[in-house]
């Protein structure tokens, strides 16, 4: 019984420590590489909320049974413009689970990539694919051929963004 109580109290402490008092997740996304001198080294969900006036995109989420979902955030090219040195060539994205993808600078805009920190159900916590999730908004349900093409750029549980010259 004592072990059960200890486990429950530990779980509760860990769960509550992931959130600030206002319910916003505390996790941060590290910014690395070719950054402007004014760029922060990490951005929190609160930072993302105040970075730009939140925009929304509505998609049929291919990684969630094509459920129609509204995502809130900003277009990734806005983050690039605000924080990256202009001569970077590749955005190296790393997820919490170790997934990595290199996104060429040109694809950030042409693929219309969107950084989301919230959806119509609330903040994107780690257990809900957060704290940040990169998506490529498209109209309608994404067929398998298109998903094979753009799906590599869909990254959830974003841990770091590195602006690289390579």
């Amino acid at each position: 019984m004592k072990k059960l109580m200890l486990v429950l109290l530990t779980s509760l402490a860990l769960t509550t420590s992931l959130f600030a008092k206002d319910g916003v997740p505390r996790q941060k996304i590290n910014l690395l590489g070719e950054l402007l001198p004014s760029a922060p080294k990490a951005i929190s969900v609160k930072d993302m909320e105040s970075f730009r006036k939140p925009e929304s995109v509505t998609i049929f989420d291919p990684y969630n049974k094509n459920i129609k979902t509204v995502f809130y955030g900003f277009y990734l090219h806005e983050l690039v413009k605000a924080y990256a040195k202009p001569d970077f060539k590749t955005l190296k994205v790393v997820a919490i689970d170790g997934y990595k993808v290199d996104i060429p600078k040109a694809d950030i805009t042409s693929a219309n990539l969107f950084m989301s920190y919230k959806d119509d159900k609330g903040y994107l916590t780690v257990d809900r694919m957060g704290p940040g999730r990169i998506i490529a908004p498209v109209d309608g349900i994404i067929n398998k051929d298109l998903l094979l093409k753009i799906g590599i750029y869909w990254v959830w549980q974003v841990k770091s963004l590195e602006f690289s010259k390579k």
Side-chain angles (χ1 to χ4, degrees):
M1 184 65 157
K2 286 182 181 181
K3 285 183 181 180
L4 178 61
M5 287 299 287
L6 181 60
V7 169
L8 289 173
L9 289 173
T10 303
S11 296
L12 179 62
L14 287 173
T15 302
T16 56
S17 68
L18 295 176
F19 297 92
K21 289 180 182 174
D22 55 6
V24 179
R26 291 185 187 190
Q27 293 90 356
K28 293 184 177 186
I29 297 172
N30 295 314
L31 300 178
L32 309 164
E34 300 299 313
L35 297 171
L36 295 173
S38 60
K41 300 294 183 208
I43 54 173
S44 67
V45 172
K46 275 193 169 188
D47 296 332
M48 288 189 276
E49 270 190 313
S50 61
F51 173 68
R52 294 274 186 269
K53 180 181 177 192
E55 295 188 54
S56 66
V57 295
T58 303
I59 64 162
F60 291 93
D61 187 349
Y63 295 102
N64 192 16
K65 301 177 184 172
N66 288 315
I67 293 173
K68 189 175 183 178
T69 306
V70 180
F71 288 96
Y72 300 93
F74 49 87
Y75 287 93
L76 203 50
H77 67 85
E78 294 173 341
L79 186 92
V80 167
K81 186 177 175 183
Y83 296 144
K85 289 182 179 175
D87 60 344
F88 92 96
K89 296 192 180 343
T90 306
L91 177 62
K92 296 176 177 285
V93 182
V94 178
I96 292 170
D97 66 358
Y99 177 79
K100 297 176 184 179
V101 65
D102 292 350
I103 304 174
K105 183 178 183 179
D107 287 357
I108 292 170
T109 301
S110 67
N112 209 24
L113 299 177
F114 191 80
M115 172 65 85
S116 178
Y117 53 83
K118 196 175 193 179
D119 67 15
D120 47 14
K121 292 180 180 75
Y123 289 106
L124 299 179
T125 56
V126 172
D127 62 323
R128 296 189 59 244
M129 301 184 178
R133 183 175 175 193
I134 298 173
I135 59 175
V138 295
D139 292 330
I141 293 177
I142 300 171
N143 66 44
K144 288 180 183 172
D145 291 334
L146 181 57
L147 189 57
L148 285 172
K149 198 182 272 189
I150 67 170
I152 60 166
Y153 293 157
W154 290 55
V155 183
W156 50 83
Q157 296 179 328
V158 175
K159 176 181 174 182
S160 67
L161 301 171
E162 179 183 353
F163 301 95
S164 173
K165 284 189 176 182
K166 295 179 183 180

